[in-house]
Amino acid sequence: MYISIAATINNRMNKLLVLSVLVALLALSAESFRVPRQTEEEEGSFTKMTGKIKSYYSSAVDTVTGYVDSIKGLKLEEKAKNLYSDTTNIVSTYAGIVQDQLYHFFHH
């Protein structure tokens, strides 16, 4: 009889130990879920403002990068060089014609 009572007490103690360990693990896991939420709630106004400024800055940089890429896609630099060379060719041709006309006007 004493052996069955000792076995029952030992069995109950094991169950109590397992239950205590499970409650402790549950408490620890619940505490780990609360930590991120507390940090979000405790975020100061300076941190929020800094975060917003960083997001605005990154958005502006992305927008400007997009504009620069679209301008490079249009090949404006190459078009400007071609326009300059065409204009100088045309102007030099007409300047030569005007110089020729003036020479013949004054020397005849």
Side-chain angles (χ1 to χ4, degrees), residues 5-97:
I5 293 175
T8 306
I9 291 174
N10 193 16
N11 193 12
R12 286 186 182 170
M13 291 297 284
N14 285 341
K15 287 181 181 178
L16 185 61
L17 178 65
V18 169
L19 185 63
S20 299
V21 168
L22 288 175
V23 168
L25 287 175
L26 180 65
L28 288 174
S29 66
E31 191 66 31
S32 70
F33 283 117
R34 285 181 59 196
V35 171
R37 205 170 95 200
Q38 285 177 347
T39 57
E40 289 175 8
E41 291 172 358
E42 293 174 2
E43 189 176 76
S45 61
F46 182 73
T47 307
K48 288 179 185 177
M49 186 172 55
T50 305
K52 290 215 183 258
I53 290 172
K54 285 180 182 177
S55 70
Y56 291 147
Y57 175 75
S58 117
S59 174
V61 167
D62 291 343
T63 303
V64 169
T65 303
Y67 288 151
V68 167
D69 289 343
S70 68
I71 288 172
K72 284 182 181 177
L74 295 174
K75 299 180 180 179
L76 291 179
E77 187 176 331
E78 183 180 334
K79 288 180 182 179
K81 286 179 184 178
N82 290 340
L83 180 66
Y84 175 76
S85 67
D86 291 346
T87 305
T88 54
N89 285 339
I90 291 170
V91 168
S92 65
T93 301
Y94 283 110
I97 292 172

